[in-house]
Amino acid sequence: AQSVTQPDIHITVSEGASLELRCNYSYGATPYLFWYVQSPGQGLQLLLKYFSGDTLVQGIKGFEAEFKRSQSSFNLRKPSVHWSDAAEYFCAVGGLTGGGNKLTFGTGTQLKVEL
Amino acid sequence: DVKVTQSSRYLVKRTGEKVFLECVQDMDHENMFWYRQDPGLGLRLIYFSYDVKMKEKGDIPEGYSVSREKKERFSLILESASTNQTSMYLCASSFAAGGNNEQFFGPGTRLTVL
């Protein structure tokens, strides 16, 4: 069965500091990996996705993520955080086997940005 | 842009009531999904549908049913609402074929059962 672990429930960073949110996955085949962001009171918006090819993926709002197969990780990074990045971030895994088009989400990381 | 809309942003119901949550998407997506979101638990899949009149149970289907009579509309039904179904409910849709398909989410319905 596929699963996703986001080990950090809450993270606080200062505006302008760099950010890394951790995501580890378990999947029996080639995974498809996603990062979503949820602003307060809103639905989820896709930040970026990895299917194949270059392991460093660029997304919207200046975010990037790196797929590391050997570590089963897909960590999200941003060089300089803005106050508007305060939100909840979800990592998700999907694939062609064992679930068709379903995604499995992590429990989320709440990001607080200090001014 | 893909748009997924949900019938209500906030809903308050009483224990034992039958509750309908409606979701509509405008991009001719084959797949539609219902999740519930609770603090510390992330998103958990309740049901999904890959075609009209087709449905499959997700991870937590107990106490819920769904209906998909038209391709663009997917309804979640709480036959007899209970307080432990107080939650945020999110609908999503995606194209068919393959796990690499992005899911597009609606804004959510925050349901309170008293």
Side-chain angles (χ1 to χ4, degrees):
Chain A
Q2 58 200 54
S3 66
V4 175
T5 301
Q6 293 181 248
D8 304 306
I9 299 173
H10 298 279
I11 284 186
T12 300
V13 299
S14 300
E15 190 176 35
S18 63
L19 171 71
E20 183 169 28
L21 302 182
R22 295 184 291 165
C23 172
N24 292 97
Y25 68 89
S26 173
Y27 196 72
T30 301
Y32 300 112
L33 295 159
F34 305 80
W35 274 101
Y36 284 86
V37 61
Q38 184 181 36
S39 298
Q42 303 297 315
L44 274 68
Q45 179 185 21
L46 182 72
L47 282 176
L48 48 78
K49 55 189 176 184
Y50 171 79
F51 298 151
S52 64
D54 193 346
T55 56
L56 186 62
V57 181
Q58 302 297 320
I60 62 171
K61 304 185 181 186
F63 285 92
E64 66 178 28
E66 186 171 11
F67 171 60
K68 293 185 177 180
R69 185 185 298 275
S70 61
Q71 298 177 20
S72 298
S73 70
F74 189 57
N75 294 349
L76 182 71
R77 302 194 294 247
K78 186 169 184 178
S80 178
V81 170
H82 189 262
W83 63 266
S84 61
D85 293 324
E88 190 158 22
Y89 293 80
F90 292 93
C91 181
V93 64
L96 290 173
T97 63
N101 292 286
K102 293 188 293 183
L103 296 181
T104 298
F105 287 83
T107 52
T109 297
Q110 188 74 47
L111 174 65
K112 180 179 176 182
V113 180
E114 289 182 333
L115 300 176
Chain B
D1 274 355
V2 174
K3 191 152 189 186
V4 180
T5 57
Q6 297 184 227
S7 50
S8 305
R9 292 300 302 273
Y10 299 93
L11 208 53
V12 180
K13 295 292 182 181
R14 298 212 172 269
T15 302
E17 280 193 79
K18 190 169 186 176
V19 181
F20 293 87
L21 302 183
E22 304 284 338
C23 175
V24 177
Q25 50 94 4
D26 66 358
M27 277 299 291
D28 204 33
H29 284 169
E30 288 81 4
N31 300 325
M32 296 188 75
F33 307 83
W34 275 107
Y35 296 90
R36 66 176 281 174
Q37 182 182 11
D38 300 287
L41 298 178
L43 276 72
R44 293 180 291 165
L45 182 64
I46 303 171
Y47 268 98
F48 70 103
S49 169
Y50 50 88
D51 202 352
V52 175
K53 297 192 185 295
M54 306 302 289
K55 61 185 179 185
E56 283 199 24
K57 293 180 180 179
D59 301 316
I60 52 164
E62 297 78 17
Y64 303 94
S65 62
V66 291
S67 172
R68 193 164 180 202
E69 297 295 319
K70 294 185 177 181
K71 190 174 186 180
E72 68 271 17
R73 188 181 298 270
F74 192 36
S75 302
L76 179 70
I77 303 155
L78 287 65
E79 295 289 343
S80 178
S82 64
T83 55
N84 62 13
Q85 292 178 308
T86 292
S87 186
M88 169 72 94
Y89 290 87
L90 293 167
C91 175
S93 70
S94 73
F95 286 111
N100 59 346
N101 290 304
E102 172 188 354
Q103 291 186 14
F104 295 84
F105 283 82
T109 296
R110 186 165 293 282
L111 172 67
T112 301
V113 182
L114 302 176

